[in-house]
Amino acid sequence: MTALPDVRSSRWAALTALVTTGVLLTACGSNTDNSGSGDGPAKSGGTLTFAVGSDAGCVDPQQVGSNDTIYSVRQLVDSLTDQDPKTGKIVPWLAKSWDISSDTTTFTFHLRSGVTFSDGSKLTAQVVKDNFDAVPKLGALGTLAQGYLSGVTSTTVVDPLTVKVTFAQPNAQFLQATSTHSLGIESSASVKRTPQQKCSDGVIGSGPFVLKQYVQNQSITLARRTGYAWGSSRWSKKGEAYLDKLVFKVVPEAGVRAGSLQSGQVDAIGSVGRANEAALKGGQVTLQRRANPGVVFGLGLNNSRPELKDARVRQAILFAIDRQQIADTVFPTGTRAATSVLAHTTPDYTDLSSDLSLDAAKAKSLLDAAGWKAGSDGVRTKDGKKLSLTIDWIPNSATNQPALELIQQQLKAVGVQVTLKQLQITQLAPTLQSGDYDVAWGNITRADPDILRSNFSTRLANFYRVPAGSLDTALSAQAATTDAAKRKQLVGEAQQLIVQNAYYVPVVELQTQLGVSKKVHGLAFDASSRIQLHDTWIG
Amino acid sequence: MRRYVIKRLAQAAGVLWAAYTVSFLVLDYLPGDPVTAMASAGMDSGQIDPQQIAALRHEYGFDKPVLVQYADYLGRAVRGDFGDSVATGRPVTSTLADALPQTLQLTGAALLLAVLLGGGLAVAATYTTRRWLRQFLLSLPPLGVSVPTFWVGLLLVEAFSFRLRWFPAFGNDGLQGLVLPALTLAIPTGAQVAQVLAKSLLTALDQAYVETARAKGAGRWRVHLRHALRNASLPALTVVGLLVGQLVAGSVVVETVFSRDGLGRVTAAAVTAQDIPLVQGVVVFGALIFVTTNLVIDLVYPLLDPRIVVASDRRASFA
């Protein structure tokens, strides 16, 4: 379901708030420096207590899609590769190097030696094969991991430390996919358990922390893995993690999370929305924020609808929206208005802000030119038909409704009537599939630009009914090249085609926002705007 | 007496069946199903394969006609098997059994507090001879009933956890963690106990037997507690029966505000995920608690008031 909005935030905790991380803070000109310098030398030991809003009911990284749970289970496993949040570059982790065939169908990973899982077993090519062979059998909760491996034809053991993954089609996104928690490597014994056992009893990984206890809806407790010595090449500390223990408490009420942090009952909290920012200002708390990479929040237009087939109408909608107003009034502080269909933290993002500026006069003249004349009630008409569109949306984030109400007003100002229609979360996928909708609101988090192909290629699901054309060519070509510069150029071309043709109307970026006590240092976002706690310490 | 009990048991079974059936139909009527709910929870990536969804639906039996599904579920439910939760794969009965002790602790403590606080308030309000004090005390219960539990919970957390730091703001740990949630839940419940008890105490104090007791020289306190309260407690007892159901329902909000594990949280999660087997289990279990409490209360009446006799014994009592 390519086009579905981001549901990583729990359905219950609704607020998919966001923020950026230490690493990107500099880039954002934001407030904190959590790098660890300044407050004396980093020290080992201690417990970090982190309050999250929800529990996914599962502690298997390969089956978890909700940020609140990814924060903890990410620490249990290592991945073949890691991704630099600043450059988007893929760097070594469990794999010390890799080769990609020129048509991007075959990926060969050379594993690091001496890596062990917490059950004592060794990391070998066979273990990686066991993992990739098991992923397609994970069932409904494993859709994230399955998507990364879709089209895989075989995983073969070349020698004990070399593994080769072959796909039927060019698949450049797979390299980035190996850096995600979803394709984190578990021990062979762990992989053999049923998906449900892995969910409830946990998994055995080689990560810097091991699972000590999981109490559903209550807490997830991790302890430092002793003897850990195979961290990602981008981490600053070598060897074991600093912290002895990590305790993730499930606290569904946003106000209670904020108060608990402020009163020192916890050290960090997830999902800080605009409403709770004031309570956390001043005092011993820092707000850390980073935009989620991937497709920004926006209006997914059904390009096959008669009104929306006309590029002028789509472009008019694009120019009529005041993105800055929406970002500033509805979303957490620091949220950026969209400057492309991709968020600025996505690799190969291109700044198209000049194509996405507010220009109501231009919107009006485009509609005039398209034959939609202003009517007496302010709504434009053509051949007796009103220019009226319905936006379908789901309540998976508290910001959706207020953002859409603003959009409704902004479009009304240029003579487009908008009706908002709330769907159940489960209704959205079938609706997009059926094509029976005008406009759908959503976003998708993914730190690889290939997400554009999943969303806009007419050869895949094509939920937005984009007409076949040069966009397809660019999207397929970027998936088939290993040349970074060429891929960047192709991805840039695709972003331009989508924005200039207004196939999708980008609105705002999704930003992850965490509240962190000032005594916590080195708590940094990874490339997907989740967290890595190996380098984190309390002082 | 035996016939009475059998009749009441049959009624209870009818209530359970109705609860089961209505919840099944409502869940069936809702758009979507648990399989798509589950699959779309991790949809960040890209594709959910419609074929895979279809296969899963088949596995859970959601592709069968509604009546067949209903008969299937009901048949197993009467044997005590509510199936497995779709979201977690754990058996529904063990999920409920794990959550139950936490909720019993919470609702038990809340009920105790409610009866003590509500009862105490009613007795004090009717005992005092100071008019202004009585008016003041009697105005508290309507207030307690009308403020939202959610808001009371947040106020208590703000004051006693964030500011005074006497109690933890979340979690199931120990007696300390129980105080604020139990108090939150006890406020609306205790207020209802107080309203009913105060009213019936005032009525009882006007009765002739109270005059008689006074005439015989019984002290005011003795008349109030031994004579009037005993008779006035019957309506309050009936209310307590109803309140038990309300406490279980209230635990959904209180357990969420205080991040406690328990039936309320299980319920909230099951409803959001449209986890049909689990919701069904919760509904039937809730109905079971409710009918059991009311059955017990019906059987306790005769013990409190010898004038009350159960229907089938009426002939004997006339003899």
Side-chain angles (χ1 to χ4, degrees), chain A residues 1-2 4 6-8 12 140-141 143-144 146 216-218 250-253 256 259-260 263 265-266 426 433 444-445, chain B residues 31-32 37-39 42-48 50 52 56 88-89 150 161-162 165 169-172 256 259 261 265:
Chain A
M1 268 342 48
T2 333
L4 291 177
D6 185 86
V7 190
R8 288 166 309 90
W12 183 241
L141 286 177
T143 46
L144 211 52
Q146 285 154 6
Q216 260 202 2
N217 277 332
Q218 207 56 50
V250 181
V251 179
E253 233 310 290
V256 175
S260 302
S263 61
Q265 298 183 48
V266 300
T426 47
Q433 215 157 2
I444 304 146
T445 297
Chain B
M38 186 164 50
M43 62 195 152
D44 213 274
S45 67
Q47 279 103 346
I48 298 174
Q52 198 192 16
L56 281 163
T88 65
F150 188 75
S161 179
F162 299 159
R165 306 193 184 184
F170 54 82
N172 285 47
T256 301
S259 323
D261 201 10
R265 282 283 286 290

Side-chain angles (χ1 to χ4, degrees), chain A residues 383-396:
Chain A
D383 306 330
K385 197 171 173 280
K386 284 192 173 190
L387 184 49
S388 172
L389 298 168
T390 300
I391 303 182
D392 290 354
W393 64 284
I394 55 171
N396 65 336

Side-chain angles (χ1 to χ4, degrees), chain A residues 8 59-67 69-82 93 131-132 135 138 141 144-145 148 176-186 203 445 526 528 530-532, chain B residues 42 44-45:
Chain A
R8 288 166 309 90
V59 282
D60 177 9
Q62 295 180 350
Q63 299 184 73
V64 164
S66 148
N67 260 0
T69 308
I70 294 169
Y71 292 159
S72 49
V73 299
R74 162 80 273 193
Q75 320 302 327
L76 300 174
V77 290
D78 296 325
S79 298
L80 290 178
T81 62
D82 198 2
W93 193 347
N131 273 268
F132 290 173
V135 161
L138 282 176
L141 286 177
L144 211 52
Y148 296 150
Q176 188 275 339
T178 61
S179 75
T180 64
H181 70 278
S182 302
L183 294 184
I185 305 298
E186 300 169 3
V203 299
T445 297
D526 64 16
S528 303
R530 280 96 186 222
I531 50 173
Q532 178 52 252
Chain B
D44 213 274
S45 67

